[in-house]
């Protein structure tokens, strides 16, 4: 059978299945607030991006302020290129701080001005760095020329690694640079503040970002960890942020940290305060429609959890998904990568809701202390409106996906048990993704004076479908309380600047009035006015209509 026909046939089968089964049974989501299953750890409040110089630019500062306001929990931020040489001018997948140069005699010259402006932007908003130690300054690189890449969307990733991706020519100078940087941060921000940060080395050393050998990376880690701990003994450092399929590298790295000889101390083992790896999905275009693959992302998590499990001495060490996204290139626009057309609308937001719920499930199943899952999305300054980058906002206007994180920010306390007759069980989604009926599921939490249920109607195939009736049945509501129910929605008519922009005619030069209207549309909106509600025997039932790719948050509040 010709390949083209096979793809077309598979695509038709998937689409037929989704239509045939989408309304095979009414959706009933049941929540038992009496039964808690774990902490509502704010793993969602972690974000990252390649281009650190966007941090202190106009739209970057605006977005940071909105991210910091997502919830009372600190928001952590990870950025590449914090040590890269250059003049501070950003480009796609590029940034620089010029923190290290050398004089004519080879003596180090440290300049913290740009990196300070980046970290100041975080700390002033009570955000915290997941501080990446990288990349290699030009003066230290073993292969410095060419240094700055000229990658553009559509280019192969092989154009990325230039002089910044190589090992240092002098490991002692590298270690001293890291020591001086951490010491400077302690002086500038205070010991207690910096002890609350996380430090990590490099990015995806098993891929394009590292041009050295594996042992050279382990050596770099030992020198980096020793320098961080010398400057601040209680600082937290870990690694190694491999790509989702980099299990062999992660295994070798963990073995080095546990049982190999340290390159600095000559003793066995290396400091390891947390373990980081990446998890990515893999969307494709089939018959003109984007078809997501949430299974691929969740499989990355499962596979790397299995590697960590080989080392029982690491059982209680926190885990961070250093990047956790529907696919692997934030700066690849939909113009060059049509499979990324999901990013502007509610496909991205519903995928995020459904996938984060499964991250909690996977951490529970594998008994891992998952403390963060970095969404690799920020903003791209001075780019076309809704240009299809993986970002949270476009030209200062929030996209629908940011509102999912606003919903998460309203959830706290303990996660409560949720069942649904239309929610894929974990093993099913790990086997087949979401290709038959849509996934109508929920994530719930209860705290001292509030309870919340997030509900979504997600499907891998990016196409519209009729709204479905969903009954959300809740029990375990505290008795005798005056309850207020608020319903927040992300769909075609709520919390959706993209749909509003299209109705305006998709202007690339919107007027001031249009921008104000888009900003309003980009905020998290209620589906109906908040109302008082009574719980009968601790039970409440709410019936809602949920479009395909829509996400809803039901929030109950009461006073003692």
């Amino acid at each position: 059978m010709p390949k083209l026909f096979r793809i077309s046939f598979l695509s038709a089968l998937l689409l037929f299945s989704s239509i045939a089964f989408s309304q095979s049974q009414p959706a009933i989501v049941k929540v038992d607030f009496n039964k808690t299953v774990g902490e509502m750890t704010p793993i969602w409040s972690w974000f990252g991006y390649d281009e650190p110089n966007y941090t202190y630019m106009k739209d970057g500062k605006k977005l940071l302020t909105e991210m910091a306001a997502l919830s009372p929990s600190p928001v952590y931020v990870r950025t590449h290129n914090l040590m890269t040489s250059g003049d501070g001018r950003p480009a796609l997948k590029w940034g620089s701080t010029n923190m290290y140069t050398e004089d004519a005699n080879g003596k180090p010259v440290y300049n913290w001005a740009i990196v300070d402006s980046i970290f100041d932007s975080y700390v002033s908003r009570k955000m915290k760095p997941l501080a990446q130690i990288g990349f290699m300054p030009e003066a230290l690189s073993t292969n410095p020329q060419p240094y700055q890449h000229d990658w553009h969307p559509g280019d192969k990733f092989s154009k990325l690694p230039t002089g910044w991706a190589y090992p240092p020519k002098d490991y002692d100078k590298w270690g001293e640079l890291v020591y001086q940087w951490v010491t400077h941060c302690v002086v500038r921000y205070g010991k207690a503040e910096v002890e609350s940060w996380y430090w990590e080395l490099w990015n995806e050393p098993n891929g394009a970002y590292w041009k050295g050998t594996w042992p050279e990376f382990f050596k770099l880690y030992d020198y980096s960890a020793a320098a961080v701990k010398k400057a601040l003994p209680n600082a937290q450092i870990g690694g190694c942020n491999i790509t989702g399929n980099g299990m062999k590298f992660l295994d070798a790295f963990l073995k080095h940290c546990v049982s190999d000889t340290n390159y600095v101390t000559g003793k066995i083992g290396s400091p390891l305060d947390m373990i980081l790896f990446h998890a990515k999905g893999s969307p494709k275009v089939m018959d003109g429609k984007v078809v997501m693959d949430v299974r691929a992302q969740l499989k990355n998590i499962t596979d790397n959890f299995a590697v960590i499990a080989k080392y029982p001495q690491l059982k209680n060490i926190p885990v961070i998904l250093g990047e956790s996204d529907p696919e692997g290139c934030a700066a690849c626009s939909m113009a060059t990568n049509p499979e990324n057309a999901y990013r502007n609308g509610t496909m991205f937001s519903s995928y995020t809701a459904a996938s984060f719920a499964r991250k909690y499930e996977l951490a529970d199943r594998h008994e891992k202390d998952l403390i963060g899952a970095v969404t690799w999305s920020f903003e791209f300054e001075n780019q076309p409106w809704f240009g299809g980058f993986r970002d949270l906002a476009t030209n200062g206007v929030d996209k629908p996906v940011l509102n999912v994180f606003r919903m998460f920010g309203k959830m706290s306390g303990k996660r409560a048990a949720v069942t649904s007759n239309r929610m894929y069980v974990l093993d099913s989604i790990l086997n087949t993704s979401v290709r038959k009926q849509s996934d109508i599921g929920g994530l719930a939490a209860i705290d001292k004076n509030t309870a919340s249920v997030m509900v979504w109607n997600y499907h891998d195939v990016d196409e519209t479908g009729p709204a479905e009736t969903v009954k959300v049945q809740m029990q375990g509501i505290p008795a005798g309380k005056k309850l207020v129910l608020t319903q927040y929605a992300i769909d075609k008519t709520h919390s959706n600047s993209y749909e509003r922009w299209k109705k305006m005619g998709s202007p690339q030069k919107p007027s001031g009035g249009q921008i104000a209207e888009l900003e309003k549309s980009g905020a998290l909106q209620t589906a109906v006015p908040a109302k008082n509600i009574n719980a009968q025997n601790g039970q409440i039932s709410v019936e809602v209509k949920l479009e395909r790719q829509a996400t809803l948050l039901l929030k109950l509040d009461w006073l003692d």
Side-chain angles (χ1 to χ4, degrees), residues 465-477:
E468 296 198 50
T469 299
V470 181
K471 294 181 179 180
V472 183
Q473 299 173 350
M474 296 169 271
Q475 65 180 29
I477 306 297

Side-chain angles (χ1 to χ4, degrees), residues 157-158 160-162 164-165 203-211:
F157 272 22
S158 58
L160 286 175
T162 47
W164 56 267
N203 182 66
E204 298 184 349
N206 64 312
Y209 286 79
W210 178 247
K211 299 299 288 184

Side-chain angles (χ1 to χ4, degrees), residues 42-52 54-79 118 121-130 325 373-381 390-394 396-399 401-410 522-523:
I43 63 173
W44 53 268
S45 64
W46 301 64
F47 300 90
Y49 46 104
D50 294 73
E51 304 86 359
Y54 288 157
T55 302
Y56 48 80
M57 298 179 74
K58 176 177 65 72
D59 291 338
K61 290 190 294 185
K62 179 181 180 182
L63 181 54
L64 282 180
T65 298
E66 294 181 338
M67 291 164 62
L70 290 174
S71 85
S73 302
V75 172
Y76 286 84
V77 186
R78 175 178 183 249
T79 54
I118 295 167
S121 298
Y122 303 152
V123 175
S124 66
R125 293 169 172 82
K126 301 188 183 306
M127 306 170 88
K128 297 182 182 295
L130 170 53
D325 304 290
V374 177
T375 295
W376 202 255
S377 299
F378 186 53
E379 66 96 16
F380 291 88
E381 204 86 14
R390 191 189 334 119
D391 46 15
L392 303 174
T394 175
V397 169
D398 300 339
K399 295 169 72 171
V401 67
L402 184 57
N403 287 310
V404 170
F405 296 104
R406 290 189 171 112
M407 288 180 172
F408 281 132
K410 297 181 181 297

Side-chain angles (χ1 to χ4, degrees), residues 431-466:
N431 287 331
T432 62
S433 203
V434 181
R435 301 297 173 87
K436 292 184 179 180
Q437 63 183 9
S438 61
D439 178 55
I440 300 179
L443 177 69
I446 186 166
D447 212 339
K448 182 179 179 181
N449 297 109
T450 184
S452 51
V453 186
M454 182 183 289
V455 184
W456 56 83
N457 183 354
Y458 170 75
H459 198 283
D460 276 349
V461 179
D462 189 9
E463 65 175 3
T464 59

Side-chain angles (χ1 to χ4, degrees), residues 164-182:
W164 56 267
Y166 285 83
K169 61 186 181 183
D170 187 322
Y171 282 86
D172 288 327
K173 283 186 174 180
W174 168 266
E176 184 65 17
L177 167 59
V178 175
Y179 169 76
Q180 293 293 339
W181 183 21
V182 178

